Amino acid sequence: MPASAPSGGSAPVAAVVLVGGRARRMGGAAKHLLPLGGSTPWRRALSALADHGIAPVVAVGPAPDETAPEDGAKGAGAVTWVREEPPFGGPVAALAAALALPALARAEEILLLAGDLADPEAVVTRLMCRDPTPSAPSLVADCGHEPRKAAIRGPRAAGTLPEGVTSEGEGALPDGSAAGVVFRAEGRPQWLAGRYRVAAVRAALAALGEVEGASCRALLGGLPIRWIPDEDGTSADIDTPDDLARARADADRSEEPA
């Protein structure tokens, strides 16, 4: 892997999946458990992580009770559950709670994922590529990622990068490595679709101090990042009923015979 991306294969890679949001625009639904493509975003994420040997997996949010429907995935390992304090304290509080667990004490890198990704398999596969940052067409040979036929992200105004966030390939650490690789869609960093060096994130948390209510931009915006250009909506999540409808339509198309 190029020196400017997190190391491949040899470093212990874990995953943190955030599933504890309020989902106001979805009527408070547990978005990670919504039916999608014959499964759920949660089960699909667990299966994708298991396929790539990523462990341990920490989920931040309300843990399922013993009477809840089975929500695991075939081939997936055990999941460690934790709740941010206070509940609904935001993504940075959730990440801090996860990194405080002994389960992640040995992890050198983490995949940080939203629990409502519409296509977690594609996100995980790309993040685990030898070089995840080239444009989509070149990825087929590198890691088997097929560019999606149609973007499922709805129209969104193009944004500018936050202050302190570097453009692709810039801002590398002195040893030539970046602190992470992250999807960027329509000019916007998708912080919850990224792979990060744990040491860099821990240092950023220490420098930030207060985590309750803090944004991912506040925590991660100063880190040297290599960007994955999201040209086809791979990192889209499910925030609204329209997002869910698009995700389901896209999942149906992907199951059609070639």
Side-chain angles (χ1 to χ4, degrees), residues 2-230:
S4 53
S7 57
S10 60
V13 181
V16 176
V17 186
L18 306 190
V19 298
R22 294 184 185 274
R24 290 187 177 94
R25 289 182 285 177
M26 292 292 290
K31 296 188 292 180
H32 63 297
L33 299 180
L34 292 169
L36 177 63
S39 185
T40 66
W42 172 242
R43 292 188 184 197
R44 291 172 61 180
L46 288 184
S47 293
L49 294 170
D51 287 346
H52 289 275
I54 299 168
V57 176
V58 173
V60 188
D65 59 45
E66 294 181 354
T67 62
E70 191 275 325
D71 62 357
K74 183 177 181 180
V79 176
T80 300
W81 288 85
V82 67
R83 195 70 164 109
E84 74 274 20
E85 289 295 340
F88 307 113
V92 174
L95 178 56
L99 288 178
L101 295 176
L104 296 184
R106 297 180 57 198
E108 295 181 20
E109 300 175 10
I110 56 169
L111 267 58
L112 177 59
L113 305 174
D116 61 348
L117 290 171
D119 195 350
E121 298 94 339
V123 171
V124 171
T125 296
R126 187 130 178 211
L127 290 172
M128 295 302 291
C129 285
R130 180 172 298 278
D131 184 358
T133 59
S135 59
S138 67
L139 289 173
V140 177
D142 185 53
C143 63
H145 170 73
E146 285 282 356
R148 301 175 67 183
K149 295 179 181 179
I152 62 176
R153 181 179 297 278
R156 182 178 291 182
T160 58
L161 291 176
E163 182 179 355
V165 177
T166 63
S167 60
E168 184 176 341
E170 296 178 346
L173 296 174
D175 64 357
S177 61
V181 288
V182 180
F183 277 86
R184 183 171 64 189
E186 299 174 354
R188 296 177 181 272
Q190 305 301 306
W191 301 115
L192 302 186
R195 179 176 176 179
Y196 302 91
R197 296 187 188 280
V198 172
V201 176
R202 291 189 188 279
L205 283 168
L208 182 65
E210 180 60 46
V211 297
E212 181 183 353
S215 67
C216 288
R217 168 180 168 170
L219 176 68
L220 304 170
L223 298 181
I225 298 294
R226 283 195 72 194
W227 299 105
I228 302 174
D230 187 352

